[in-house]
């Protein structure tokens, strides 16, 4: 019903408007019906353009996209975020080149996440919002659940993706599906307890740990050894998450992958990218793990440990407005975190220096590409928001629009095409 309403809302608006005009012309005064019509047109025009918040663009690659979700448990690692005697568990979603299949169901877009948020809203002052929250989002993405992998190529290069601190992989769906359509197997790792929420198949809901509920501005403001020690501990957990997934993929007898999919995974052509905290993770994994051949950071910083030792692998930083000269958060935001523009400049300078130093160490394969007007979250599905919602939800420094996501997609694909697709399997 939601899909029907979204697709035909404008047509229905005109039809109902004409019917309404006929009724009001014959049964009300001129002044009254003009007022009613004006209000009605405004409401219908708004509804037709507000719901859902965005729609997914068609992928541009030659492949259709398939997706599958897996629940993994690391039997050799204890969970550090809880006192309970439990082992580390992860949700891993894979997007891959697929054969077109109109009979199979397209993947629902974050259904469990939306349900979890709705449940949280029930006990808050925003309870009415929970009743219609699912109407705000697209009903499904472009990927098809459990589709057959495309047989066009003997094997496909693999890309690991990590979200930002407090994020989820699904909120970068537009880019992972675009990569899959261009012949990549993309493996998204949701980092339990530091993602916004994790909903396991058995119904367990794991929310982000309160101690990791930090905004970018909080991190820049505090800039303390204690804060960064906490972040580095979580950073190390994320590294182990990704390496555990890679270890599982390397096992020839692994049972978590469908045989058809496993047969076409080419780990000799492995890359990684991430957004924000996940971008810093991509850089570190490239440095320490020989399996990773190239990486990309989407508006992510560089940890000090990544600047240590040799780093000669191809790496690309795609950066936004955070590093632009003379760009600051709103005055109210600075006041909220008790920061001056000078404080902001000092905090950002360390960010800039780390990226420049790493690119220098890498040499000719170290790249920076800046999208000057891009907000920090513009590298996610936020850039698909309709203009009204972009304005209403303007919580970011910088803008978000489809041009930014298109530019990002092209840069990511060009980079991985150069450094992964030209690398032949041994």
């Amino acid at each position: 019903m939601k899909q029907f309403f979204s697709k035909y809302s404008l047509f229905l608006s005109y039809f109902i408007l004409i019917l309404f005009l006929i009724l009001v012309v014959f049964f009300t005064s001129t002044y009254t019906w003009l007022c009613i019509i004006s209000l009605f047109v405004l409401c219908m025009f708004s509804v037709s353009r507000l719901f859902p918040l965005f729609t997914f663009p068609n992928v541009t690659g030659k492949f259709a996209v398939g997706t599958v979700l897996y629940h993994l448990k690391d039997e050799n690692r204890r969970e550090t975020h809880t006192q309970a005697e439990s082992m580390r568990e992860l949700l891993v979603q894979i997007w891959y080149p697929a054969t077109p299949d109109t009979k199979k169901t397209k993947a629902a877009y974050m259904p469990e996440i939306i349900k979890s948020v709705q449940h949280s809203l029930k006990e808050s002052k925003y309870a009415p919002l929970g009743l219609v929250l699912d109407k705000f989002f697209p009903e499904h993405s472009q990927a098809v659940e459990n589709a057959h992998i495309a047989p066009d190529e003997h094997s496909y290069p693999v890309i690991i993706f990590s979200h930002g601190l407090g994020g989820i992989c699904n909120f970068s769906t537009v880019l992972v599906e675009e990569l899959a359509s261009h012949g990549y197997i993309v493996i998204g790792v949701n980092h339990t307890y530091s993602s916004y929420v994790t909903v396991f198949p058995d119904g367990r809901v794991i929310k982000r740990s309160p101690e990791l509920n930090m905004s970018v501005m909080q991190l820049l403001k505090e800039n303390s050894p204690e804060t960064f020690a906490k972040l580095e501990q979580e950073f190390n957990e994320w590294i182990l998450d990704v390496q555990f997934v890679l270890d599982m993929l390397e096992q020839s007898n692994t049972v978590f992958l469908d045989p058809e999919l496993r047969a076409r995974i080419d780990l000799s052509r492995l890359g990684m990218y991430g957004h924000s905290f996940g971008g810093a993770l991509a850089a570190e994994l490239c440095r320490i793990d020989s399996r990773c051949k190239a990486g990309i950071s989407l508006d992510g910083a560089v940890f000090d440990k990544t600047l240590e030792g040799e780093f000669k692998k191809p790496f690309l930083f795609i950066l936004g407005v955070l590093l632009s000269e003379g760009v600051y958060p709103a005055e109210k935001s600075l006041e909220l975190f008790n920061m001056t523009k000078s404080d902001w400049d000092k905090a950002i300078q360390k960010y800039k220096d780390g990226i420049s130093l790493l690119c220098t160490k890498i040499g000719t394969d170290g790249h920076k590409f800046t999208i000057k007007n891009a907000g920090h979250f513009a590298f996610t599905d936020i850039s698909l928001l309709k203009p009204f919602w972009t304005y209403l939800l303007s919580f970011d420094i910088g803008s978000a629009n489809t041009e930014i996501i298109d530019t990002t997609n092209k840069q990511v694909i060009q980079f991985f095409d150069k450094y992964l697709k030209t690398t032949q399997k041994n």
Side-chain angles (χ1 to χ4, degrees):
M1 183 64 184
K2 179 173 65 175
Q3 183 180 8
F4 177 84
F5 179 79
S6 175
K7 185 175 181 180
Y8 296 105
S9 57
L10 194 58
F11 171 78
L12 290 172
S13 299
Y14 289 133
F15 176 78
I16 296 173
L17 177 60
I18 292 172
L19 181 62
F20 189 74
L21 279 171
I22 294 172
L23 292 174
V24 297
V25 165
F26 286 101
F27 294 102
T28 61
S29 66
T30 302
Y31 176 77
T32 303
W33 69 255
L34 282 176
C35 291
I36 294 174
I37 290 173
S38 299
L39 180 62
F40 184 80
V41 170
L42 178 62
C43 290
M44 294 307 294
F45 179 81
S46 298
V47 167
S48 69
R49 282 161 172 73
L50 297 186
F51 297 98
L53 280 77
F54 60 86
T55 54
F56 281 106
N58 293 325
V59 293
T60 65
K62 69 176 184 178
F63 296 104
V65 180
T67 188
V68 62
L69 184 67
Y70 294 105
H71 173 205
L72 303 181
K73 180 183 287 189
D74 187 347
E75 299 291 355
N76 298 314
R77 184 158 53 114
R78 298 286 295 274
E79 179 56 71
T80 61
H81 292 90
T82 177
Q83 298 297 322
E85 298 287 329
S86 59
M87 310 309 289
R88 180 68 166 171
E89 295 179 73
L90 299 170
L91 279 184
V92 172
Q93 187 159 359
I94 302 180
W95 293 265
Y96 53 90
T99 56
D101 192 338
T102 57
K103 294 181 180 179
K104 287 194 174 181
T105 306
K106 283 192 174 182
Y109 185 58
M110 304 194 302
E112 299 302 330
I113 306 298
I114 294 171
K115 287 179 185 177
S116 175
V117 176
Q118 285 177 320
H119 180 75
S120 299
L121 289 171
K122 284 181 181 179
E123 307 300 325
S124 73
K125 63 181 180 180
Y126 302 107
L129 178 62
L131 298 175
V132 295
L133 185 69
D134 58 330
K135 305 295 189 297
F136 291 178
F137 295 93
E139 194 165 16
H140 54 73
S141 66
Q142 296 297 306
V144 172
E145 292 180 340
N146 301 307
H148 292 290
I149 191 166
D152 303 47
E153 298 182 23
H154 177 71
S155 64
Y156 298 96
V158 178
I159 298 173
I160 302 291
F161 168 62
S162 278
H163 54 74
L165 193 65
I168 52 175
C169 284
N170 299 90
F171 212 48
S172 293
T173 294
V174 63
L175 179 50
V176 294
E177 290 188 345
E178 182 71 0
L179 278 164
S181 80
H182 283 265
Y184 291 94
I185 295 175
V186 185
I187 302 175
V189 181
N190 282 282
H191 302 279
T192 317
Y193 286 99
S194 46
S195 63
Y196 176 73
V197 65
T198 302
V199 183
F200 287 114
D202 60 7
R204 283 177 298 136
V205 177
I206 309 295
K207 295 185 178 180
R208 175 174 47 174
S209 175
E211 65 179 5
L212 296 173
N213 189 11
M214 305 178 190
S215 68
V216 173
M217 289 197 67
Q218 283 174 303
L219 295 176
L220 292 174
K221 173 199 172 185
E222 292 183 18
N223 198 23
S224 65
E226 294 79 11
T227 299
F228 282 97
K230 187 188 303 178
L231 286 177
E232 186 163 7
Q233 180 180 355
E234 189 63 20
F235 191 67
N236 293 335
E237 285 294 326
W238 284 32
I239 291 172
L240 293 175
D241 286 346
V242 174
Q243 291 184 320
F244 164 66
V245 173
L246 291 178
D247 291 343
M248 292 288 287
L249 292 172
E250 282 185 325
Q251 296 175 14
S252 59
N253 62 342
T254 182
V255 295
F256 90 89
L257 275 183
D258 178 87
E260 186 183 67
L261 180 59
R262 182 171 62 245
R264 283 186 163 77
I265 284 182
D266 184 357
L267 291 176
S268 73
R269 296 184 290 165
L270 174 72
M272 180 174 179
Y273 84 96
H275 173 242
S276 193
F277 200 72
L281 179 69
E284 178 64 4
L285 190 83
C286 277
R287 182 182 77 88
I288 66 172
D289 199 310
S290 61
R291 293 172 293 190
C292 187
K293 302 300 189 294
I296 297 176
S297 171
L298 302 180
D299 221 31
V302 178
F303 271 63
D304 289 342
K305 62 193 301 181
T306 306
L307 298 173
E308 301 169 358
E310 292 295 315
F311 194 130
K312 292 299 181 182
K313 294 177 184 176
F315 202 85
L316 168 65
F317 290 94
I318 301 181
L319 307 168
V321 75
L322 278 178
L323 298 189
S324 300
E325 297 290 339
V327 176
Y328 302 96
E331 290 291 342
K332 288 184 178 180
S333 297
L334 289 171
E335 291 175 5
L336 178 64
F337 291 96
N338 194 28
M339 293 181 73
T340 65
K341 289 184 177 179
S342 177
D343 294 332
W344 176 264
D345 286 336
K346 289 177 182 178
I348 290 296
Q349 191 60 49
K350 182 180 179 182
Y351 178 15
K352 296 167 68 173
D353 290 345
I355 291 172
S356 296
L357 178 57
L358 188 58
C359 285
T360 300
K361 289 172 71 71
I362 296 171
T364 56
D365 286 330
H367 309 279
K368 287 190 294 185
F369 182 86
T370 301
I371 306 175
K372 292 184 178 180
N373 62 327
H376 185 61
F377 297 99
F379 301 100
T380 68
D381 295 349
I382 286 286
S383 276
L384 299 178
L385 287 174
K386 294 179 180 178
F388 173 84
W389 290 104
T390 301
Y391 172 77
L392 188 65
L393 302 175
S394 56
F395 55 86
D396 202 2
I397 304 168
S399 61
N401 55 60
T402 54
E403 290 183 6
I404 292 172
I405 204 71
D406 288 344
T407 301
T408 302
N409 290 355
K410 289 175 182 176
Q411 289 296 318
V412 169
I413 290 169
Q414 287 175 8
F415 177 85
F416 282 133
D417 279 355
K418 178 178 179 180
Y419 291 107
L420 295 185
K421 286 195 174 179
T422 56
T423 303
Q424 298 301 314
K425 185 176 180 180
N426 294 330

